[in-house]
Amino acid sequence: YGSPKPGAPTLDVYEDFQCPACAAFEPTNGYRLVDLAKQGKVKLVWHPAAFLDVARATDNQAAGNPNSSKRATAAWGCAIDAGVAAEFHKTVFANQPKTEGQGFSDITLLSLGSQVVPRSKVSAFVDCVNSGKYLQWAAASAAQFDKNGITQTPTLFINGKEQKSEVLFEPTGKKLLAAIDAASK
């Protein structure tokens, strides 16, 4: 995400759209990563996961929302096409279901998209989501998460070095910014 300047550190963020800790990370420090990427100070690479599709399969199914993380990731792909990657990302996490495992319905994902997708692109967004255009991409991203051996979300690597939870969730962002600054040198 963004246009990194030469030498900008790479930030790899692994997350699941159903993950409550990921939703807590967004207003704490996630927005900082987006701002830095917009400024070209970092190369931000999001890696959406779907491990909660397995861990919460019974709950998702009972709520009528199976494969919720994969479907949210696929809808995000459609939002990326519409030019609102960060906006949709933020909106989905901000509107995560109150009960973990309830998941996202297709109607909810379309509604969230309509909040951020430009009016002229809403029809294409809806068609994209309804067609399942990015479901295979979402599944491939989830498989790569497993292949990379990531065990929790959110997980953040700066130039390949995993960051501790106290860096991710420190509310002032000082520790995160210090880690990024150190990687920039």
Side-chain angles (χ1 to χ4, degrees):
Y1 179 78
S3 298
K5 296 175 183 168
T10 299
L11 281 58
D12 289 290
V13 181
Y14 292 84
E15 56 195 1
D16 187 313
F17 280 116
Q18 290 190 84
C19 166
C22 298
F25 173 72
E26 284 304 304
T28 304
N29 277 314
Y31 74 94
R32 285 186 175 94
L33 302 183
V34 170
D35 288 345
L36 291 169
K38 285 179 180 177
Q39 296 170 35
K41 293 181 179 178
V42 300
K43 177 182 178 183
L44 178 57
V45 183
W46 283 302
H47 302 272
F51 77 93
L52 287 171
D53 281 351
V54 175
R56 293 294 190 181
T58 302
D59 297 333
N60 280 186
Q61 189 68 38
N65 300 321
N67 300 311
S68 189
S69 296
K70 285 180 189 156
R71 288 183 302 96
T73 298
W76 185 38
C78 298
I80 292 168
D81 282 355
V84 290
E87 295 84 357
F88 186 80
H89 184 268
K90 177 183 174 181
T91 300
V92 171
F93 278 121
N95 290 281
Q96 200 176 63
K98 302 267 186 252
T99 304
E100 184 180 8
Q102 183 176 352
F104 299 98
S105 68
D106 287 337
I107 291 170
T108 298
L109 293 169
L110 291 168
S111 174
L112 295 174
S114 70
Q115 293 174 31
V116 296
V117 171
R119 179 168 287 184
S120 64
K121 296 181 179 183
V122 168
S123 179
F125 173 79
V126 169
D127 290 346
C128 179
V129 172
N130 287 337
S131 74
K133 178 178 179 179
Y134 287 107
L135 284 171
Q136 287 184 349
W137 170 70
S141 182
Q144 190 63 49
F145 173 88
D146 293 336
K147 185 177 177 180
N148 289 353
I150 307 300
T151 59
Q152 66 183 17
T153 57
T155 296
L156 169 66
F157 290 87
I158 300 175
N159 283 347
K161 181 180 179 189
E162 186 172 354
Q163 302 302 300
K164 296 181 179 182
S165 289
E166 55 265 19
V167 172
L168 273 65
F169 292 100
E170 190 270 317
T172 68
K174 289 180 183 177
K175 290 181 180 181
L176 178 62
L177 296 172
I180 292 169
D181 186 51
S184 298
K185 295 177 179 174

